[in-house]
Amino acid sequence: MKHVLRWFLPFWKLRRKGMGILLLITTLAIAAKTVYPYIFKFVIDHLTRDIHYDNILTWVWIILGVGLVREITQWLLPATRYFMNMGIGMDIRLNYFHEIMNKDYSFFARHRTGDLTTRLTDDIDGDLKIAWYAASGILRPVEAFLTLGFSIALMLSLNWRLTLIAVAPLPVIIWVIAKTEHIQQRAYSLRQKRTSETVDVLESAFSGIRIVVGYVAEKAQGKIFRRVMKERVSAEEKVVLIRSFLESLGAMINQVGLVIILFVGGYFVQQGRMSLGEFYAFVAYLSGMTETIWTISWFFVSTKMVEASISRLENLEQFSDAEYGQSRPKKLPPSISIHEASFTFPDSREPILQDISFTIQPGEIAAVTGSVGCGKTTLLNLAIGIYPSTTGDVHLGDIPPRHMEREVLANLIGYVPQEVVLFTGSVRENILMGRDLDETAVLKALKLAAADTEFTLDTILQQGGVGLSGGQKARVALARALVHNPKILIMDDITSALDAKTEGILWQRLREDSINRAVLVTTHREATAKQADKIIWLDQGKIRDICSHVELLEEYSEYRHLFAKP
């Protein structure tokens, strides 16, 4: 429990004024609620003795006033808790969104998109999850403890022997909760894991719907989804079973206690050891204690549930952030220089790239080619600092990319990945990505990308570019990379989906605009290789040769086979 409370502490500090107001309203609500039966005690006792209407009228006005305060606070309390739940939930989600955005490449290689989505949605906003616990979950036991404290104090003033009998079930319930603690935690962790798996399957099926339909694989996907749902239902049933058992056990213990109190209290009234008003107040407090004791015991259960979700968020913090330096060079030569660099993934023993050395000068276009899986995309990521070199040196100009400030590196490089990502919104929004650039720059970028005749700036794109061809998606992504006039342009096989005419126009415009720009592109198309000033030929993670396309064709039969048509 201490771990959970420490985790929430920074978020409570951000909302300390609101939490303070909530605590004040809670205290006022509980005071009005617990004093209500005590006031009725005096009214009932007056009715069973000599009636003094003036006294009764006074108590009636007191009851009306206290009742009004009680009803207002009972209405205000859940509403203010709900708003605080939403506010703290937003703070937590934004905090971990920024946490994820700052992670390095290894983080995204190990986490599925669906799992990350679940952690920032269901783990925070679900039933009895983090956002609920932030205000409602933590203040409900505070309310219960205040109610219990006020009630027991007043009950002791009425009859201490009966009070001891009334609170006897409390240790039993707490003992049961403590004994089932580990079972609860395992069940709730498994439920969240199954939820993440469900989101992953749905995301894969919907994003790849064209493949599913094209291969008539609807039944196969249905079987996968049915299996995942059965596992999720099983996990949900375990949680429901545990909650139902604990709720029923708590209710049963308290109901037995209430029956005992009715008999013992009735006996005390007959013996004249309690007045009828005192007995009424005592039963009223005891009836309220049934819910109060359950709220306190359920607090331990809900804490374990929330701890499972917190652990999933904390797991994100264990991965390293992307490393960037503090260098802000005023003028940086637009060149790429790699010297004897190698790269190995953290979980791999074999290097993906070995002894890579080459230089690309301003105004030069270099193409990386080779067989599938030879490391072309990895080389691009190494060149711009996304992947850190295991050995050797990588420089943009005369500075390693990871020594530069993040904003400097982003302004220096224009990067078009092989897997194009488009967002819901206009072409303008997809190209600018929040950057403060004028419309002239956007129009110029569209023209350079040979997309000016196909899109207007206000054309609306759907998420993922649904409805666009592969070539259209690639050119919107290229315009995004060119709009800030980068000194270094990196393109990962973006011409593969272009027809010959469009590709010719694209390269003509790029060459004219790249007089002082270093361009590095991967390709398996001969038309693109012909446009390059030099070819970097990769073979199983090593550079086989660096020459012009014509020279490589003349010297190597293996190179000719790379472009041989079947």
Side-chain angles (χ1 to χ4, degrees):
M1 183 183 297
K2 291 181 179 179
H3 169 245
V4 174
L5 298 180
R6 282 198 302 267
W7 185 86
F8 273 105
L9 188 59
F11 301 104
W12 286 331
K13 286 182 177 179
L14 287 175
R15 304 267 177 172
R16 53 183 172 272
K17 289 184 179 179
M19 293 297 291
I21 293 173
L22 263 177
L23 186 59
L24 179 62
I25 296 174
T26 299
T27 304
L28 184 59
I30 298 311
K33 182 179 179 181
T34 53
V35 78
Y36 207 66
Y38 206 80
I39 295 173
F40 261 98
K41 175 186 85 72
F42 291 101
V43 175
I44 293 174
D45 285 342
H46 275 293
L47 291 174
T48 56
R49 300 169 187 167
D50 295 333
I51 300 176
H52 299 284
Y53 290 103
D54 292 339
N55 290 338
I56 292 177
L57 186 60
T58 300
W59 284 112
V60 167
W61 282 113
I62 293 174
I63 289 172
L64 288 175
V66 173
L68 183 62
V69 172
R70 186 183 68 171
E71 293 304 318
I72 291 175
T73 54
Q74 290 299 315
W75 164 80
L76 190 61
L77 194 56
T80 50
R81 282 178 183 172
Y82 177 77
F83 289 123
M84 187 58 65
N85 290 342
M86 291 194 298
I88 297 179
M90 180 187 69
D91 294 339
I92 295 171
R93 186 178 292 103
L94 289 174
N95 177 75
Y96 280 94
F97 177 80
H98 293 305
E99 180 81 27
I100 292 172
M101 289 294 100
N102 290 326
K103 295 302 179 185
D104 67 5
Y105 72 96
S106 62
F107 174 85
F108 294 100
R110 297 179 183 181
H111 288 85
R112 303 182 307 273
T113 302
D115 179 54
L116 293 177
T117 301
T118 301
R119 296 186 195 214
L120 292 188
T121 53
D122 185 76
D123 279 299
I124 295 176
D125 288 332
D127 179 40
L128 301 179
K129 299 291 177 62
I130 291 174
W132 170 85
Y133 189 91
S136 295
I138 196 65
L139 286 176
R140 283 178 184 274
V142 171
E143 178 184 350
F145 274 115
L146 288 174
T147 301
L148 192 62
F150 290 161
S151 298
I152 291 177
L154 292 172
M155 289 166 67
L156 285 170
S157 69
L158 297 174
N159 191 298
W160 67 269
R161 293 183 178 85
L162 210 54
T163 302
L164 293 180
I165 297 173
V167 300
L170 181 58
V172 177
I173 296 176
I174 294 176
W175 179 82
V176 171
I177 296 297
K179 287 297 181 181
T180 59
E181 178 178 326
H182 298 298
I183 298 174
Q184 296 169 54
Q185 188 171 13
R186 285 197 299 269
Y188 302 136
S189 297
L190 180 62
R191 181 178 68 174
Q192 290 309 110
K193 180 181 178 181
R194 298 305 185 214
T195 301
S196 293
E197 291 173 352
T198 303
V199 175
D200 283 333
V201 171
L202 289 174
E203 183 180 13
S204 297
F206 294 152
S207 61
I209 190 63
R210 296 183 181 181
I211 303 299
V212 174
V213 173
Y215 282 88
V216 195
E218 293 90 343
K219 290 185 178 180
Q221 288 295 311
K223 288 181 180 179
I224 295 173
F225 187 60
R226 190 177 297 109
R227 173 182 58 79
V228 171
M229 285 305 300
K230 284 183 178 179
E231 293 175 349
R232 180 175 178 180
V233 167
S234 176
E236 294 281 1
E237 287 174 345
K238 289 181 181 178
V239 171
V240 172
L241 181 63
I242 292 172
R243 289 176 60 178
S244 299
F245 169 75
L246 294 175
E247 288 176 1
S248 300
L249 182 63
M252 181 182 68
I253 292 174
N254 280 284
Q255 286 301 317
V256 171
L258 181 60
V259 171
I260 293 174
I261 291 302
L262 288 174
F263 277 100
V264 176
Y267 174 76
F268 283 174
V269 171
Q270 288 181 338
Q271 296 295 314
R273 297 162 66 178
M274 289 182 71
S275 69
L276 186 60
E278 291 173 337
F279 180 63
Y280 161 79
F282 204 98
V283 172
Y285 286 129
L286 185 60
S287 300
M289 283 179 61
T290 302
E291 180 181 354
T292 301
I293 294 174
W294 170 245
T295 299
I296 294 173
S297 60
W298 179 246
F299 169 67
F300 296 97
V301 180
S302 61
T303 299
K304 285 300 175 184
M305 294 171 64
V306 171
E307 188 172 19
S309 293
I310 288 175
S311 296
R312 285 165 52 80
L313 289 180
E314 285 184 319
N315 176 260
L316 304 178
E317 301 174 357
Q318 298 175 7
F319 294 84
S320 301
D321 291 343
E323 296 180 2
Y324 295 95
Q326 302 297 321
S327 179
R328 294 184 62 89
K330 295 181 179 179
K331 189 175 182 180
L332 192 66
S335 63
I336 303 172
S337 177
I338 300 180
H339 179 66
E340 296 181 354
S342 300
F343 175 74
T344 305
F345 281 108
D347 296 331
S348 176
R349 295 182 179 179
E350 297 296 325
I352 304 300
L353 299 173
Q354 300 180 63
D355 301 323
I356 302 297
S357 297
F358 64 83
T359 300
I360 305 174
Q361 297 296 341
E364 194 172 27
I365 297 176
V368 182
T369 190
S371 58
V372 175
C374 68
K376 297 188 294 294
T377 298
T378 303
L379 178 55
L380 295 191
N381 290 326
L382 180 70
I384 59 177
I386 294 178
Y387 293 169
S389 59
T390 307
T391 61
D393 300 309
V394 178
H395 289 83
L396 301 180
D398 56 358
I399 300 177
R402 292 208 161 201
H403 288 184
M404 299 182 193
E405 281 194 356
R406 190 173 183 182
E407 292 76 11
V408 173
L409 190 62
N411 289 328
L412 178 67
I413 296 171
Y415 178 44
V416 188
Q418 187 174 22
E419 184 178 348
V420 174
V421 177
L422 298 179
F423 302 89
T424 302
S426 67
V427 169
R428 178 189 287 103
E429 291 167 336
N430 269 274
I431 293 175
L432 286 175
M433 292 296 293
R435 291 171 287 189
D436 186 18
L437 299 170
D438 58 33
E439 189 167 304
T440 303
V442 181
L443 291 171
K444 179 183 177 181
L446 267 180
K447 185 174 182 179
L448 285 175
D452 52 317
T453 60
E454 299 181 46
F455 301 103
T456 67
L457 297 186
D458 295 319
T459 300
I460 299 299
L461 305 179
Q462 299 302 316
Q463 184 177 2
V466 175
L468 302 184
S469 68
Q472 288 175 320
K473 294 178 185 178
R475 281 176 286 153
V476 173
L478 178 57
R480 177 192 297 162
L482 290 168
V483 70
H484 64 288
N485 192 27
K487 299 299 182 182
I488 296 173
L489 180 62
I490 307 292
M491 300 182 289
D492 194 358
D493 200 22
I494 69 162
T495 61
S496 60
L498 300 183
D499 59 77
K501 180 180 178 181
T502 303
E503 183 176 3
I505 295 172
L506 174 63
W507 278 115
Q508 180 185 353
R509 294 178 180 178
L510 279 179
R511 185 169 288 280
E512 292 173 355
D513 191 66
S514 301
I515 297 175
N516 294 312
R517 177 185 292 141
V519 179
L520 179 61
V521 58
T522 65
T523 186
H524 61 270
R525 285 168 60 110
E526 187 171 12
T528 300
K530 290 178 180 179
Q531 296 289 339
D533 298 310
K534 63 183 177 185
I535 302 295
I536 302 169
W537 180 18
L538 276 184
D539 186 14
Q540 297 182 357
K542 297 181 179 180
I543 293 180
R544 179 76 175 271
D545 204 345
I546 301 179
C547 291
S548 69
H549 176 64
V550 174
E551 290 172 327
L552 291 174
L553 284 175
E554 292 176 351
E555 187 171 350
Y556 299 100
S557 61
E558 301 99 312
Y559 184 79
R560 292 194 294 271
H561 290 159
L562 291 176
F563 304 103
K565 295 181 179 180

